Amino acid sequence: MTTDSPVKYELLHVCKQSGARRGILHTPHGDIETPVFMPVGTQATVKAMTPEEVSSLGAGIVLANTYHLWMRPGHDLVREAGGLHKFMNWPHAILTDSGGFQVFSLSGARKIKEEGVSFNSHIDGSLHELTPELAIDIQTALGSDIIMQLDECADWRADRGYIKASAERTLRWLERCVKQHKNDAKQALFGIVQGGVYEDLRKMSAEQTITFDLPGYAIGGLSVGEPADIMYKMLEVVTPILPADKPRYLMGVGSPDYLIEGVIRGIDMFDCVLPTRLGRNGTVITSQGQLTVRNASYAGDFTPLDPNCSCYACQNYTRAYIRHLIKANEILGLRLTTWHNLHFLLNLMSEIREAISRDELLDFRDHFFSQTAAHKE
RNA sequence: GGGGGAAUACCCAAGUGGCCAAAGGGGGCAGACUGUAAAUCUGUUGUCACCGACUUCGGUGGUUCAAAUCCACCUUCCCCCA
């Protein structure tokens, strides 16, 4: 099955200093250099940006969400439109998340059973049941390049017994997803490793998940509030188990420190709402650390968001102007902050890839952190 | 000229004897945000020597144990009639 997969990982180089991987992810909608950051466009749009803008920032793949598009506008409509790529005018690769994260984030409006998850729609409260089979069918209709199994992203603070049961159910759901997927030639199904913050459960989940011989593996249920060192520990347990010829995707990670540390621990793919959400909420990620440009201290600051940035926002606008736009509730303000944040992370990944090629990723990390630390008060 | 109404914190606006340093919005200030129910949410917003004290509800004086709330006069604004 693997050899027929529409998505293939090509390993280019392993950093001699850190063990990090550089590679290429071949998809039906283009080749993607890894490690890669994938902007999130839940509702078939990266909020505040046009697809052309997202593409111009260097993104070759974005996320969309099964649950949200199922609820609205409905996957049949997207199929009728000619698939997600055509519907949203995005010619590059798309990865759809299965709705597993909504099991976590909409926990107040959902019930988990062996058969699947029943949701009360966040839009109108109507009851819907998402099963592993339906999650595949919806993603088939959407036509994304990479599809995710239905999993349960459990609360990391849940007790061990629950996490174990949840991870095992996620494996049973994977089996059903694989069966439903039927070796589709155009879409690659990724499995998701769960197991919370328990090393043995993570190990069990990883070992079981790879028996399905899938074109890629994700690590889920992390970066949901647990301490960073626990997350790093889980990665150190899981990535050595995952096959070297397949991409490894750490779901939901997007702060610069997590990205760098994740790559060092063998991760190839990341996605996160952080840059777009932070931007809309008036915060920018810079080479000197996070900066809440909405704050009064920048009212008269006529320097760029990040003095070391070459993005459109930083080349043309000042902190003072962008703060003014945000305070005045002008759309351009959050477009510019989003623009910058996406550029920053995509550029960071590009620098990480180059550092891997030079076998200097650890040096790069130390330099990066000293820059941000130097500006912390 | 006559009659009626209103003045509350940065703004709007509740409150008509003690539970009022004073509801609620807005604005301001700050914090949070990591497979997006998020252009959202949370906190804070009289002063200070801040688990306590002090000064406030147009102004002045009064009634009362107690006043943003009651009384008198004054000031300003709005509406109606001439």
Side-chain angles (χ1 to χ4, degrees):
Chain A
M1 175 197 166
T2 310
T3 48
D4 303 308
S5 173
V7 169
K8 292 192 189 75
Y9 177 74
E10 180 186 350
L11 179 64
L12 292 181
H13 184 78
V14 175
C15 172
K16 290 182 180 68
Q17 193 178 57
S18 66
R21 299 138 55 89
R22 179 169 186 175
I24 297 175
L25 195 63
H26 300 278
T27 83
H29 288 87
D31 293 347
I32 298 147
E33 290 197 74
T34 65
V36 64
F37 176 77
M38 307 180 282
V40 178
T42 303
Q43 308 205 64
T45 169
V46 177
K47 293 182 192 293
M49 295 285 110
T50 66
E52 290 76 10
E53 287 163 347
V54 175
S55 178
S56 76
L57 290 168
I61 178 169
V62 297
L63 255 71
N65 186 275
T66 299
Y67 166 83
H68 285 278
L69 296 175
W70 173 42
M71 290 293 112
R72 180 172 57 193
H75 52 292
D76 287 335
L77 185 105
V78 176
R79 174 159 40 205
E80 197 184 318
L84 203 46
H85 295 86
K86 209 172 161 194
F87 186 51
M88 66 183 284
N89 190 33
W90 175 256
H92 311 294
I94 298 175
L95 182 154
T96 42
D97 185 29
S98 61
F101 185 71
Q102 280 63 46
V103 176
F104 171 70
S105 65
L106 300 176
S107 60
R110 127 258 107 155
K111 273 195 196 115
I112 303 168
K113 293 172 292 187
E114 182 61 26
E115 177 59 20
V117 196
S118 50
F119 287 98
N120 282 107
S121 158
H122 70 285
I123 300 164
D124 62 9
S126 55
L127 189 65
H128 303 268
E129 185 172 29
L130 185 60
T131 62
E133 291 80 10
L134 181 56
I136 297 300
D137 290 347
I138 293 171
Q139 294 181 88
T140 300
L142 296 175
S144 42
D145 301 280
I146 298 173
I147 67 177
M148 302 303 298
Q149 74 155 114
L150 183 65
D151 68 327
E152 180 188 357
C153 178
D155 190 319
W156 72 280
R157 293 160 301 190
D159 65 76
R160 196 196 138 80
Y162 184 86
I163 296 284
K164 182 166 186 284
S166 164
E168 289 169 348
R169 181 168 47 235
T170 290
L171 283 163
R172 292 191 295 275
W173 284 357
L174 174 56
E175 187 172 7
R176 289 164 57 188
C177 284
V178 169
K179 204 169 285 177
Q180 187 74 5
H181 183 48
K182 298 170 192 147
N183 297 344
D184 187 289
K186 290 179 181 162
Q187 296 179 295
L189 171 66
F190 282 22
I192 304 175
V193 174
Q194 288 290 348
V197 293
Y198 301 96
E199 290 184 36
D200 59 326
L201 296 182
R202 284 282 170 188
K203 192 161 177 283
M204 176 282 291
S205 177
E207 285 168 349
Q208 291 299 306
T209 302
I210 62 170
T211 63
F212 290 90
D213 191 25
L214 298 165
Y217 298 97
I219 303 171
L222 291 176
S223 191
V224 285
E226 80 286 357
D229 56 330
I230 291 182
M231 181 178 86
Y232 299 153
K233 183 70 208 170
M234 293 305 119
L235 296 183
E236 286 158 17
V237 169
V238 171
T239 54
I241 298 171
L242 302 178
D245 61 343
K246 302 292 173 59
R248 305 154 178 172
Y249 163 29
L250 176 55
M251 309 184 79
V253 157
S255 59
D257 52 344
Y258 280 19
L259 292 173
I260 295 170
E261 297 292 354
V263 169
I264 288 170
R265 288 163 179 78
I267 301 297
D268 308 298
M269 305 165 68
F270 304 86
D271 79 282
C272 196
V273 307
L274 197 63
T276 48
R277 180 179 291 171
L278 281 183
R280 289 195 309 284
N281 294 338
T283 299
V284 288
I285 308 168
T286 78
S287 59
Q288 306 175 345
Q290 269 193 21
L291 185 147
T292 307
V293 70
R294 134 172 70 78
N295 284 359
S297 46
Y298 303 108
D301 186 337
F302 300 108
T303 64
L305 294 174
D306 185 340
N308 302 316
C309 182
S310 62
C311 85
Y312 169 75
C314 290
Q315 289 306 302
N316 295 286
Y317 304 98
T318 63
R319 293 174 176 181
Y321 178 62
I322 291 170
R323 171 185 137 88
H324 156 68
L325 293 176
I326 289 168
K327 298 301 287 184
N329 245 310
E330 286 291 343
I331 301 172
L332 181 59
L334 53 90
R335 265 176 51 71
L336 292 174
T337 49
T338 299
W339 193 309
H340 167 79
N341 283 346
L342 284 176
H343 170 91
F344 185 85
L345 290 193
L346 290 163
N347 183 250
L348 172 66
M349 298 314 288
S350 168
E351 290 178 347
I352 287 174
R353 289 191 295 270
E354 285 166 24
I356 292 172
S357 291
R358 296 194 310 268
D359 298 308
E360 290 175 353
L361 187 56
L362 296 182
D363 295 340
F364 176 85
R365 172 187 64 181
D366 295 345
H367 178 71
F368 183 88
F369 288 157
S370 71
Q371 285 279 99
T372 57
H375 291 272
K376 267 189 188 138
E377 297 304 312

